[in-house]
Structures are given as structure tokens and as C-alpha cells.
Amino acid sequence: LHESNPMHKIIELITSAWEIALPSIVVAFSGGFRSDMDPDIRKKLVTYLFNFCKSVRVWIVTDGMHTGVSRFIGRVFRMDLEPPAEDINIEFQGDVVFFGFSKWDDLKDRELLHGISHSEYSSYYYEKLPTSDDDMPSMLNPFQDVHLLFQTTEPTTIELRNQLLKKLKSCNVVKGRTSIDVDRILLNDTESTGSRSINNRQNRIIPNLTFVIGGDETTLQQVCLAVESEMSVVIIQNTGPIARSLTEIYKELEKRRKSCYYNHDFSDDERSCLKSMLEKDEHGCLLQASDSRNYVERIMSKRYFITILDLDVRDTEYVRIIQALYKPFNGAQCMLIALQTNQLLFLKVVLNREVDPTFDNCRSFVTVEMLKDLHTDNIRKNTRIFKPICSVENNVLPLVGDIVYHLL
């Protein structure tokens, strides 16, 4: 692909030409997996990520190379690091599709690829998947399902990845599977191509999370792009120096002033505190580049979108992760997301989510009208979230108590 290809057309390429269904959630990863990570932390991390991602339909986005966190996550879902059978929740059987975002120029094993070249893009596959026990930074990760390789000069692949996440957050794509011509998709720069196309399109809100595992030289930029785009970031404690330093700074600033959705101004007190912390030797890992200090301040000014995940705290229903997913969205949007996942645990969190109260205009989300709408939606869409108690939409209010009972 080329950096100038519109992101909404790349999504249409994925869903229409390659016939890959849209996900309920997109999960991105940042960091360099550390071989010296505490074995207990690693085991908990593997089990947590595996079960959560299998609980719903997920797209996983990495840099696509056979090294670091990309290789680690691939091994968790596709190879030897999969959790033992007793730790896997067999009720969770959601599809997980892996996407790799890489630069074509970074790829050094092109002779192993076979495929067909087109005017605007080339489609390749491995005849035989190469595997290796060692990191190979110049080789594509064989555990990925799809690699998006870009010819790019100005934007980095991290910026292109962020553009994809932003577009999926509120996207408009063609429904279902079609035999649409791929070259026409990429060459056409408009969102829709006539009334027929408009009628065959769907609007979707697809939330995303960026997990920080350990951290590497790209983590600050990736986290900064995410929070400034009002997208959620989850930093996993005790997985490496960068994750640890970001966690400690976040917690210290939260003690001074609780972050909220609408106020991102950095106070003099917060700026002074941040400066003092960055001068400590233990946080030197954050200052490896000339613009690192600026990145850290920008991240912490938008820290409302950050969640710290402590794997030592039991969270079998993934409440903290779902709360993190909901942070950028208002109540009605969260309800729509929950219905799309078709999972009761997502609905539970909607009704008891940790969110800046001003975000929903200081109004309680749990009202009779909203519960009525929820039940009506459930009947109309014939979802599995609740068994339909009544098929007559007009006779809903007497059933509000039953809805609350099933939720709680």
C-alpha cells in the first residue's frame, strides 16, 4: 500500500475484498517483550490477554515483525505460549485476527514471498511459513493473518496505525461480502460511490485499546498519539522500565489532581511535579530521545484516557479493561458497543462504569426510558444478551424489573 491510500478505503479493502468481518474491539500493542520478565507476571499476562481477546471478536494490531511484543503476542495465540487448558475460559470462542503494520523497506525476506502485483498494491503470501526461536526484526511475523506493508516517506507506521484506529472508532463500511474490485476500492477516494453503495453501508463504533507491555523506543509516541486522539491506553504494571515509570508518574499526578474528560490543562503544580520526577535516575528510560520530555507531558495532560492494570488484582470479568474501553464514549455509545459485543459483562459495566460524571451531563444513565430502549433493542435484534421475555414492544415497562434482575 502507499501512504496516500485513504484509511477508509483500506478498511473497505479488508472487509469487502478480503472478506474479513469487522471486530467488536481493536487491540493494539506497544513495547518490547522482555525475556527477563517475572515468570509469574508473564503467566498472568498471557492468560489475561488470551481470555479477554477471545471473549469477543477482536482485531489485534502490531508492527507485524518477528520480534518484540509482536512475536510474543503471536506466540500467545498461535504457538507455544498459549495458556494451559485449565486457565482457558472455554465459553470464550471469539475470532482473533492479527494485523501487522510495517514498512515495505524494513522487510528483508522478500524472496520468501509469492504473489501478484497490481497497479496500486501487491498481494503476497508465504509459500511456507518461516519460523524461528530467535527475534528476527527484518522478517514478517508468521503468526499474523494480514500484513499491511506501506511505501512511506513522511508518516511513520505508528502514525498510520493510529489513523486506522481513529477511523475504526467511527467507521462507515460496506456491509457483508462482495466481489468488489480491489483496484477500484483504493483508487476511489470518496466515502461512498452512489446510492446503491450508500444503501449497502453500515455505521459502526469500534472501540480500541493500546496495551503497553514493557515499552520500547516507539512507546511514548504511540501512547501520545492514542490519548491525543481520545483513545484508551492500558499500561500493564511491572512489565518493564518504561511501563513502570509511566505508572509511577501517572499515580503521583493523580494524587495531586484527579484527571477528567474535559480538563486537560496542565497546572503549574503538575508540571513542577513531572519535572522533578523526570530528574530521578529511575525514570531516565523515558528520556532516550530529544523530544521524549515533550511526549511525557502531552501524555500526562491527557491521562484521563490511561488505565493502569495490576495483574495481581483478580479481574475475571475484565471490568477494568471494559471500563478503559468505555472512557472515550458517552452512555448511549457505550450501550451500542455493549450490544455489538453481545456479552452480558459489557452491559453490566455500562450501568456501573467509572467515568467523568460531566461526560453524561451529570444525568443518571440508568433510567426507565433507557431500560425500555434496551429491552426493545433486544427484542428487535433477537440478541442472546437476554432471552426475550415478551415479544410485544408496547408491553415493556412492566418488564423493567426483570431486565434489572438479569443485569445484576
Side-chain angles (χ1 to χ4, degrees):
L1 298 161
H2 191 268
E3 63 187 71
S4 63
N5 290 136
M7 201 54 66
H8 66 271
K9 288 300 170 185
I10 294 175
I11 294 172
E12 197 162 311
L13 172 71
I14 294 167
T15 58
S16 294
W18 294 342
E19 301 182 349
I20 297 175
L22 282 173
S24 301
I25 295 170
V26 182
V27 176
F29 288 90
S30 175
F33 176 70
R34 294 170 60 88
S35 58
D36 61 348
M37 185 186 297
D38 181 277
D40 187 49
I41 293 291
R42 181 170 68 177
K43 180 182 178 182
K44 290 176 180 177
L45 174 61
V46 165
T47 303
Y48 193 91
L49 291 177
F50 185 91
N51 284 326
F52 173 73
C53 290
K54 296 288 281 185
S55 68
V56 288
R57 192 167 60 252
V58 168
W59 284 4
I60 289 180
V61 180
T62 69
D63 64 10
M65 306 308 285
H66 198 52
T67 186
V69 74
S70 174
R71 175 171 170 265
F72 168 67
I73 295 300
R75 291 174 65 198
V76 168
F77 286 88
R78 300 284 193 261
M79 205 177 165
D80 55 308
L81 290 183
E82 182 176 301
E86 62 270 19
D87 291 337
I88 295 175
N89 189 331
I90 59 174
E91 294 182 7
F92 295 157
Q93 298 295 326
D95 294 330
V96 177
V97 182
F98 279 78
F99 288 84
F101 263 65
S102 312
K103 286 180 69 172
W104 175 252
D105 292 338
D106 290 343
L107 184 61
K108 299 295 187 284
D109 65 341
R110 299 176 194 173
E111 71 280 359
L112 298 174
L113 296 172
H114 305 266
I116 302 171
S117 294
H118 300 262
S119 59
E120 283 293 305
Y121 82 106
S122 298
S123 182
Y124 293 93
Y125 62 93
Y126 279 122
E127 191 172 71
K128 181 180 179 182
L129 290 179
T131 58
S132 172
D133 291 335
D134 302 315
D135 278 7
M136 297 183 67
S138 61
M139 190 184 90
L140 290 179
N141 184 340
F143 307 122
Q144 306 287 134
D145 296 298
V146 176
H147 292 276
L148 299 173
L149 299 168
F150 287 86
Q151 289 279 16
T152 176
T153 53
E154 185 60 33
T156 65
T157 50
I158 291 175
E159 292 169 320
L160 291 169
R161 198 187 326 176
N162 189 70
Q163 290 175 25
L164 173 76
L165 297 178
K166 282 176 66 177
K167 196 65 187 175
L168 284 168
K169 188 179 169 186
S170 180
C171 66
N172 180 273
V173 296
V174 173
K175 297 178 185 176
R177 301 181 175 187
T178 70
S179 57
I180 196 164
D181 180 75
V182 175
D183 285 319
R184 183 167 61 81
I185 291 178
L186 294 176
L187 288 170
N188 188 344
D189 191 31
T190 58
E191 290 272 3
S192 56
T193 54
S195 59
R196 181 179 176 184
S197 175
I198 291 172
N199 292 334
N200 195 37
R201 303 185 78 83
Q202 59 178 325
N203 291 306
R204 288 283 301 276
I205 297 174
I206 303 176
N208 64 75
L209 285 172
T210 295
F211 282 99
V212 175
I213 302 176
D216 60 13
E217 66 277 2
T218 67
T219 294
L220 292 184
Q221 182 191 13
Q222 193 172 341
V223 172
C224 187
L225 286 170
V227 295
E228 289 189 338
S229 302
E230 298 190 353
M231 297 187 296
S232 299
V233 172
V234 175
I235 301 173
I236 303 178
Q237 282 191 174
N238 303 318
T239 53
I242 291 177
R244 188 180 305 113
S245 290
L246 288 174
T247 297
E248 289 177 10
I249 292 172
Y250 169 89
K251 288 182 175 179
E252 185 60 36
L253 291 173
E254 283 292 281
K255 288 178 187 175
R256 294 169 181 264
R257 187 180 69 163
K258 181 80 172 170
S259 57
C260 63
Y261 184 85
Y262 288 111
N263 187 358
H264 303 307
D265 294 331
F266 220 44
S267 69
D268 290 340
D269 181 50
E270 289 172 304
R271 190 170 285 107
S272 174
C273 174
L274 177 60
K275 181 180 178 181
S276 163
M277 295 193 75
L278 289 177
E279 288 172 353
K280 297 178 180 179
D281 291 342
E282 61 261 35
H283 301 313
C285 58
L286 297 177
L287 303 177
Q288 300 300 311
S290 58
D291 54 355
S292 297
R293 191 179 297 270
N294 177 45
Y295 274 136
V296 175
E297 181 169 329
R298 287 162 61 188
I299 289 168
M300 292 303 159
S301 69
K302 296 259 188 174
R303 64 184 184 275
Y304 170 78
F305 298 102
I306 292 177
T307 298
I308 307 299
L309 182 62
D310 182 355
L311 294 172
D312 288 329
V313 178
R314 188 170 172 81
D315 186 25
T316 55
E317 290 202 337
Y318 309 105
V319 171
R320 287 172 294 158
I321 295 299
I322 299 171
Q323 286 174 339
L325 273 171
Y326 286 160
K327 277 188 174 183
F329 302 101
N330 62 33
Q333 291 171 322
C334 291
M335 181 61 77
L336 183 59
I337 292 166
L339 289 170
Q340 287 170 178
T341 66
N342 213 20
Q343 290 287 345
L344 182 60
L345 57 93
F346 278 78
L347 274 170
K348 282 179 169 179
V349 178
V350 174
L351 299 179
N352 188 28
R353 63 198 181 102
E354 291 180 0
V355 69
D356 176 8
T358 57
F359 198 16
D360 283 334
N361 299 320
C362 298
R363 291 184 303 217
S364 169
F365 181 61
V366 191
T367 64
V368 167
E369 281 302 311
M370 290 304 293
L371 288 169
K372 174 183 174 183
D373 291 343
L374 169 61
H375 187 65
T376 304
D377 249 1
N378 183 52
I379 292 172
R380 185 182 298 117
K381 295 179 180 178
N382 195 27
T383 63
R384 300 192 310 272
I385 295 168
F386 310 114
K387 292 179 180 178
I389 306 169
C390 175
S391 60
V392 183
E393 293 188 9
N394 293 331
N395 188 24
V396 168
L397 283 179
L399 302 173
V400 167
D402 286 331
I403 298 171
V404 174
Y405 174 79
H406 280 285
L407 280 173
L408 301 181

